[in-house]
Amino acid sequence: MVGLPSSGSTAPTSLRKVTHRHLLIPSGVLLAIVVGFFLWGDLTDSVIYYLTPSEAVDQRADRPDGYRFRLGGLVEQDGISASDTETGFIVSDGAASVQVVHTGAVPQLFRVGIGVVVEGAWDGGVFRSDTLLINHDEQYRTVEDDQPYQIPTP
Amino acid sequence: MRRPTLADTAPPKTPVLIGAVSLCLLVGALYLALTAPPDQQQGEAAKLLFVHVPSIITAYIAYGIGLISAIWYLIRRSMAADRISSSAIEIGVVFTAITLATGMIWGRYVWGVWWDWGDARMISTAVLFFLYLGYLALRRSIQDPRIRAGRCAVLGIVAFVQVPIVHYSVLWMRTLHQGATIIRPDLANSTVDSAFGLPLGVSILAFLSLLLFLMSVRVRVTSLEDDLSRRLGTDQPVGALIVPPRLQGENGG
């Protein structure tokens, strides 16, 4: 070190020990929690943001009616229906598809072919959702044929 | 001991030049962004791309400069490296905040929510922000310049681990956030139409030159502060020594 008037050269040994122990115990506890979480915690539902329709159908038995999870896929061409309070549509990943009945507001960008994430639970053969999020992709393309952009209506 | 004069604080020509260049680029980027066509999926909301993406790229590069100059400090013990590192990280935090703010506004319009605690990209970016805020807090908490520089260099290196985590979060995990648009595994298949690519590119250049400009100013201010505190012979941060001018007719106080 350069000749700075040292502010702590007489007392540092005991001070430093305390500081290190103060750091060591919380970080050890934190590490134990993280490791324990990965070893014994059931992380599938909290780490995976949403299930694909294929996974949801395959694991139907693991998620009884009323068990909440997120489901994500593309809105299919056919099967969109809307009443005052409910919107019905089919979410697909190409291999499997799930009939969704959504209660509540529908985002502006909702339309055929767009990615959605719905939150809710199985109710027999249909998925009842109360949260509908748009999950657009990373493609940025201009509107074809110079058509003015219009907010799509379901 | 010579008292500092006005000539000591007059800005040198280079930062002014960089500032002028970045201003021109920003105006150009703004023009290109405003005249860009709407996106097929998102309409006009996709214009946020031209702020959101350049600001996080600028933040990544700022943290990268912070990392490299922190390593440089630990090798050479140069206070100039410490100044560069801290200035870069400080500006990186600002650009991370801009990224979070624009992302939330964009998300509210397009996804339908401001924020989602289940999303890996959002959580990791928030962690990045608070990690580097912690760095700034650490700088404030240590008075001795050498001890501060050493400890901050270590944190500046460790915290950089979060940068690749943020970037790859959308590739490693399923997220509500879209996948990578620019730095992605299959670079050949561009995800961005050329009508958006040009304004995006100019905007990234503009943000990077802005980073350079802000850094040149910040490094200079820090070095003037260090200079002043050395002349005053104190380890106190000089900020506390600066008092507002007294108004006329105000007594003592």
Side-chain angles (χ1 to χ4, degrees), chain A residues 4 47-52 55 70 108-109 111 133-144 149, chain B residues 37 39-43 106 109-111 113 116 118 173-174 176 178-180 184 190-193 195-196:
Chain A
L4 284 166
V47 164
I48 294 177
Y49 184 66
Y50 58 80
L51 296 182
T52 62
E55 289 165 344
R70 294 195 195 91
Q108 269 180 329
L109 298 188
R111 62 169 131 170
L133 304 176
I134 298 293
N135 188 16
H136 67 85
D137 60 17
E138 60 270 25
Q139 304 291 329
Y140 289 87
R141 299 278 176 256
T142 49
V143 184
E144 274 151 42
Y149 176 78
Chain B
D39 172 61
Q40 206 175 18
Q41 281 186 340
Q42 303 180 37
W106 199 356
Y109 178 78
V110 172
W111 302 326
V113 282
D116 193 322
M173 300 176 86
R174 278 179 205 162
L176 178 62
Q178 63 157 77
R184 46 194 266 113
S190 173
T191 63
V192 179
D193 198 293
F196 306 116

Side-chain angles (χ1 to χ4, degrees), chain A residues 1-150:
Chain A
M1 293 286 284
V2 277
L4 284 166
S6 180
S7 49
S9 57
T10 47
T13 35
S14 61
L15 204 74
R16 199 164 282 172
K17 260 181 198 160
V18 172
T19 334
H20 280 205
R21 197 185 303 149
H22 272 258
L23 269 175
L24 210 66
I25 295 167
S27 48
V29 170
L30 201 71
L31 196 73
I33 291 172
V34 170
V35 169
F37 211 59
F38 274 100
L39 286 181
W40 295 290
D42 185 13
L43 287 175
T44 30
D45 281 358
S46 46
V47 164
I48 294 177
Y49 184 66
Y50 58 80
L51 296 182
T52 62
S54 304
E55 289 165 344
V57 170
D58 283 349
Q59 303 165 19
R60 176 69 182 87
D62 300 341
R63 293 177 179 77
D65 288 3
Y67 182 93
R68 286 179 67 85
F69 64 98
R70 294 195 195 91
L71 174 74
L74 300 176
V75 178
E76 287 239 305
Q77 178 82 46
D78 303 314
I80 296 186
S81 63
S83 74
D84 287 347
T85 51
E86 287 183 345
T87 313
F89 52 92
I90 295 164
V91 167
S92 153
D93 61 359
S97 53
V98 173
Q99 172 71 50
V100 176
V101 176
H102 172 71
T103 313
V106 175
Q108 269 180 329
L109 298 188
F110 180 83
R111 62 169 131 170
V112 168
I114 205 157
V116 289
V117 174
V118 286
E119 206 176 315
W122 283 114
D123 179 14
V126 302
F127 186 87
R128 289 202 176 274
S129 106
D130 51 28
T131 307
L132 171 54
L133 304 176
I134 298 293
N135 188 16
H136 67 85
D137 60 17
E138 60 270 25
Q139 304 291 329
Y140 289 87
R141 299 278 176 256
T142 49
V143 184
E144 274 151 42
D145 305 328
D146 290 319
Q147 290 288 310
Y149 176 78
Q150 285 174 332

Side-chain angles (χ1 to χ4, degrees), chain B residues 3-136:
Chain B
R3 293 182 65 189
T5 63
L6 204 63
D8 292 334
T9 53
K13 288 205 169 62
T14 327
V16 177
L17 197 71
I18 304 169
V21 169
S22 70
L23 188 69
C24 291
L25 281 168
L26 279 173
V27 170
L30 189 67
Y31 173 77
L32 288 172
L34 290 179
T35 53
D39 172 61
Q40 206 175 18
Q41 281 186 340
Q42 303 180 37
E44 301 291 347
K47 285 199 170 31
L48 277 166
L49 184 75
F50 309 133
V51 183
H52 187 70
V53 169
S55 50
I56 194 64
I57 289 178
T58 309
Y60 287 167
I61 287 176
Y63 295 143
I65 295 170
L67 166 77
I68 291 164
S69 33
I71 295 171
W72 177 24
Y73 175 81
L74 289 183
I75 296 169
R76 306 296 296 272
R77 299 281 154 178
S78 136
M79 290 311 276
D82 176 58
R83 284 195 282 270
I84 292 171
S85 184
S86 63
S87 306
I89 287 172
E90 196 174 292
I91 296 160
V93 169
V94 174
F95 281 104
T96 312
I98 293 171
T99 307
L100 285 169
T102 51
M104 285 172 77
I105 295 164
W106 199 356
R108 177 68 187 86
Y109 178 78
V110 172
W111 302 326
V113 282
W114 297 99
W115 189 262
D116 193 322
W117 282 111
D119 185 275
R121 175 55 77 79
M122 278 172 246
I123 298 170
S124 58
T125 312
V127 169
L128 179 79
F129 179 62
F130 287 111
L131 207 55
Y132 279 104
L133 268 189
Y135 173 94
L136 296 183

